[in-house]
Amino acid sequence: QYNSFAKHFAELHASLDKLTNKHYFRKFPNLLKDKKILDLGCGEGKDLKFLLKKGAKIFGIDSSEKMIELAKNNLQNSEIKLGYFEKIPFENSSFDIVASKYSLQTSKKIDIIYEEVYRVLKEKGIFIFLVVHPIRQFMEKKKNGKDYFKQEFIQSILFGGKLTVKEPSHTL
């Protein structure tokens, strides 16, 4: 669904990055030199670019062809693949760190993603992720008789109404 508004999404997301990057990147180890990092939902590659400047060896996947195109334009000579988090297109034990910012909640089956992340992480690897709180999705269910525990697709309103995406609801 991001193909039709990939560039617009990347521009809008930049304002959110100003708020979250300070806290998000604080969770990464201080020494990233030569660490292999996979970004799930790498979008246009801004986070990968930051990690590259810190000395990391960067890799990314995204399910949007247009986002991959933007990322490859921003990061020539980087391994960025079209793919889904439920079937990560990399070998077992490939990464020191798997990271994801505001992407996991777009998948219906998060438990499968955890298994895939475990598969591609090296022993003692780190999984760092940031997601929206599931109560936000619950509040966006537009019907009477909302059921917090029922997973269903909702229209998620982003960036103060500037974009609407469809994503599955989740519980804690």
Side-chain angles (χ1 to χ4, degrees):
Q1 71 179 320
Y2 287 78
N3 281 339
S4 63
F5 52 79
K7 190 170 183 175
H8 185 57
F9 178 85
E11 291 165 356
L12 291 170
H13 203 266
S15 64
L16 182 62
D17 282 342
K18 290 176 187 172
L19 297 172
T20 58
N21 279 357
K22 177 181 170 190
H23 302 288
Y24 178 67
F25 286 116
R26 189 182 302 159
K27 300 300 178 191
F28 285 75
N30 286 332
L31 296 174
L32 293 179
K33 183 157 178 48
D34 297 326
K35 297 287 186 195
K36 288 180 72 178
I37 300 178
L38 172 63
D39 187 359
L40 300 179
C42 66
E44 78 283 5
K46 269 189 197 159
D47 291 344
L48 286 174
K49 199 173 217 176
F50 176 83
L51 295 166
L52 181 64
K53 287 178 184 175
K54 296 288 184 183
K57 294 178 181 176
I58 57 167
F59 301 80
I61 69 166
D62 203 288
S63 61
S64 164
E65 293 92 349
K66 293 293 183 185
M67 287 294 196
I68 292 294
E69 186 179 303
L70 291 172
K72 286 183 175 183
N73 286 339
N74 287 329
L75 297 156
Q76 288 85 22
N77 303 318
S78 294
E79 193 167 347
I80 299 170
K81 296 182 178 184
L82 184 65
Y84 295 93
F85 312 152
E86 298 87 355
K87 188 163 176 55
I88 298 171
F90 288 97
E91 298 294 320
N92 295 353
S93 304
S94 296
F95 299 100
D96 300 293
I97 300 170
V98 174
S100 184
K101 186 168 75 177
Y102 295 125
S103 296
L104 296 182
Q105 74 266 3
T106 64
S107 179
K108 190 173 181 183
K109 302 218 178 219
I110 292 177
D111 55 332
I112 294 170
I113 297 170
Y114 291 145
E115 292 170 13
E116 274 294 279
V117 167
Y118 180 77
R119 181 185 66 77
V120 300
L121 274 174
K122 294 177 181 177
E123 189 174 327
K124 297 186 180 183
I126 301 169
F127 183 28
I128 300 169
F129 63 93
L130 177 63
V131 295
V132 299
H133 196 288
I135 199 69
R136 181 192 61 92
Q137 294 171 323
F138 172 71
M139 298 303 290
E140 289 188 333
K141 290 182 180 185
K142 307 286 189 240
K143 61 183 184 179
N144 290 329
K146 297 178 192 181
D147 183 348
Y148 175 76
F149 296 99
K150 182 180 178 189
Q151 187 181 56
E152 53 194 322
F153 281 90
I154 57 161
Q155 296 295 319
S156 232
I157 300 164
L158 307 176
F159 309 115
K162 293 178 182 161
L163 260 175
T164 300
V165 297
K166 190 175 182 181
E167 62 186 17
S169 62
H170 295 283
T171 63
L172 283 174

